[in-house]
Amino acid sequence: MATDMKENYYTHALWHVQEGKTEAFLQAWQQFGKALSQVPNSPPVRGTLIQSIDDPLVFYSFGPWESLEDIQAMRSDENVRKALSSILELCSEAEPGQFKTVMQLEFPGSRTP
């Protein structure tokens, strides 16, 4: 069943890390988070990084934002851009993007307690 929702925005990225660079990538991603926390007048930010079980060199990150303006302010911040460059240097492929919510589905499930 589709649920009522307000329009939300997200950043989402695919990161394909170079062989042997996983630990450096994780550290760079943490530094990226620190840079996000220092953007002037930024809203609270929560980012999630997940790793593929089938290919441990593949990661996806995503996080909600209150507005497109907040995403643009983050992306134009010099410290964030430097932190992002550090991540990109460790990847053979990277596809960051910005998205908006168009639908959310919610199901009660059938598991019995």
Side-chain angles (χ1 to χ4, degrees):
M1 139 184 354
T3 62
D4 290 333
M5 54 176 250
K6 68 176 191 165
E7 192 164 69
N8 292 302
Y9 298 93
Y10 290 83
T11 51
H12 176 274
L14 159 70
W15 310 102
H16 194 156
V17 178
Q18 297 171 26
E19 186 78 42
K21 304 284 186 175
T22 300
E23 286 304 315
F25 170 79
L26 294 174
Q27 291 173 2
W29 207 77
Q30 286 180 325
Q31 292 303 313
F32 179 69
K34 287 180 184 177
L36 290 175
S37 72
Q38 297 170 353
V39 174
N41 197 35
S42 68
V45 177
R46 181 184 71 239
T48 301
L49 180 67
I50 59 175
Q51 181 180 30
S52 171
I53 293 171
D54 297 326
D55 183 349
L57 296 177
V58 173
F59 294 82
Y60 290 91
S61 62
F62 55 92
W65 293 85
E66 293 177 2
S67 70
L68 283 175
E69 292 78 19
D70 289 336
I71 294 172
Q72 292 164 350
M74 171 272 295
R75 290 207 166 133
S76 67
D77 182 85
E78 188 61 33
N79 290 328
V80 170
R81 293 168 67 103
K82 287 179 185 176
L84 181 59
S85 290
S86 295
I87 292 173
L88 293 171
E89 290 173 5
L90 301 167
C91 296
S92 58
E93 177 185 6
E95 294 180 23
Q98 55 193 24
F99 302 84
K100 69 177 184 176
T101 305
V102 294
M103 184 182 298
Q104 293 179 324
L105 301 175
E106 196 172 302
F107 301 94
S110 59
R111 183 176 292 162
T112 55

